[in-house]
Amino acid sequence: MTSPYLCPNCKTNRSRYHILEQNPQAVKLNPQSGEIMEQYDSSSLDPFHLPYKGTSKRVQCGSCGLIEDEQSFIKFAESHPSNHK
């Protein structure tokens, strides 16, 4: 995290955030009970199970609670530079 953030929702928060590290787990669930029947690693997915292609990090605004990809907060800060230096 080396770039400034600005929340695209509340448009005022530049300093209070939760950094959410994503740790995806590939699983096969029992359709009736929801119980985990099998866990996969990325090299052993079955042909009908696509690998995770999402981001590794999400950000939650500490003021309004918006959760988005980190790039949303970075891009919004870039397009609205701070006047306070």
Side-chain angles (χ1 to χ4, degrees), residues 3-7 11-15 17 73-85:
S3 299
Y5 289 172
L6 176 59
C7 178
K11 299 173 178 61
T12 57
N13 181 25
R14 290 184 181 268
S15 60
Y17 296 96
F73 291 89
I74 292 171
K75 293 294 182 190
F76 200 71
E78 288 172 354
S79 65
H80 296 83
S82 175
N83 296 331
H84 304 95
K85 299 256 173 177

Side-chain angles (χ1 to χ4, degrees), residues 38-62:
E38 195 170 349
Q39 291 188 352
Y40 305 101
D41 64 25
S42 59
S43 64
S44 68
L45 293 176
D46 69 31
F48 298 105
H49 202 125
L50 296 173
Y52 179 73
K53 295 191 190 245
T55 60
S56 63
K57 189 185 296 185
R58 306 260 300 171
V59 176
Q60 180 180 28
C61 176

Side-chain angles (χ1 to χ4, degrees), residues 26-40:
V27 298
K28 183 176 182 179
L29 301 178
N30 179 303
Q32 284 76 37
S33 69
E35 224 177 302
I36 295 176
M37 295 173 46
E38 195 170 349
Q39 291 188 352
Y40 305 101

